Amino acid sequence: MAYKKEDIYDEPVTDALTQHYKQVIEQLGEDPEREGLMKTPERVAKAMQVLTQGYHMDAHEIINSAKFHEDVSEMIIVKDIELYSLCEHHMLPFFGRAHVAYIPNGWITGLSKIARVVDVYSHRLQVQERLTVQIMNAIKETLNPLGVAVVIEAKHLCMMMRGVQKQNSETTTSAFDGEFQKNSTRSEFLKLISARLS
């Protein structure tokens, strides 16, 4: 996503978060006035605003900004969409890829808008299960397609760095609506997103 800095950062929010992160550093036993940490609270405050900017974006508006009437009814797939999000339980990152498909019912949207929808919901405090359904619902509610499918594959640092510390685990979630609830359509979608060009 390409945004100007002034569109992301809110100065009062930055100032308040900076003070809180300074206190966090102190509580952890570090000196926030140490040279390497002096600007860290502000950097983290700005980073958190970037990572949660999805709260200020509207997925439906994004899709509607490039909504076109088209008389096609074949499956449209955008796969391997990179995503980065924050687990709402530990505020540690999870990251991976999303595969999104829909079958038009008179309306299509720009392909980049599908990736933007993934960004809108992933740039919030999230759980992967809800993220998957939110992406599906946004497409369903704006395009009224014959069917929508979303699969997300992600690695969670809350599992890799702490807790069970399973570095090789990956979580897959899926949501299917309409025609994708049929075994044949769902199987075609899953086969296509699994295919790799040789």
Side-chain angles (χ1 to χ4, degrees), residues 115-144:
R116 289 283 305 278
V117 168
V118 173
D119 283 343
V120 168
Y121 292 114
S122 62
H123 281 73
R124 301 179 182 190
L125 301 182
Q126 274 290 8
V127 295
Q128 185 175 331
E129 297 88 340
R130 181 171 66 239
L131 171 61
T132 308
V133 173
Q134 286 177 326
I135 295 167
M136 180 188 72
N137 285 341
I139 296 168
K140 177 182 175 181
E141 292 163 5
T142 49
L143 296 179
N144 190 32

Side-chain angles (χ1 to χ4, degrees), residues 61-78:
E61 184 178 297
I62 288 169
I63 294 174
N64 283 324
S65 71
K67 184 176 177 181
F68 310 105
H69 181 71
E70 196 67 46
D71 188 23
V72 295
S73 58
E74 300 300 321
M75 189 184 304
I76 297 171
I77 303 174
V78 183

Side-chain angles (χ1 to χ4, degrees), residues 1 47-62 83-89 91-94 116-128 130-131 134-135 138:
M1 298 181 294
M48 289 303 295
Q49 288 176 79
V50 172
L51 296 174
T52 59
Q53 63 187 295
Y55 289 118
H56 307 292
M57 298 159 61
D58 186 328
H60 298 78
E61 184 178 297
I62 288 169
L83 71 84
Y84 304 90
S85 193
L86 289 176
C87 163
E88 69 179 35
H89 299 139
M91 291 181 69
L92 288 171
F94 67 92
R116 289 283 305 278
V117 168
V118 173
D119 283 343
V120 168
Y121 292 114
S122 62
H123 281 73
R124 301 179 182 190
L125 301 182
Q126 274 290 8
V127 295
Q128 185 175 331
R130 181 171 66 239
L131 171 61
Q134 286 177 326
I135 295 167

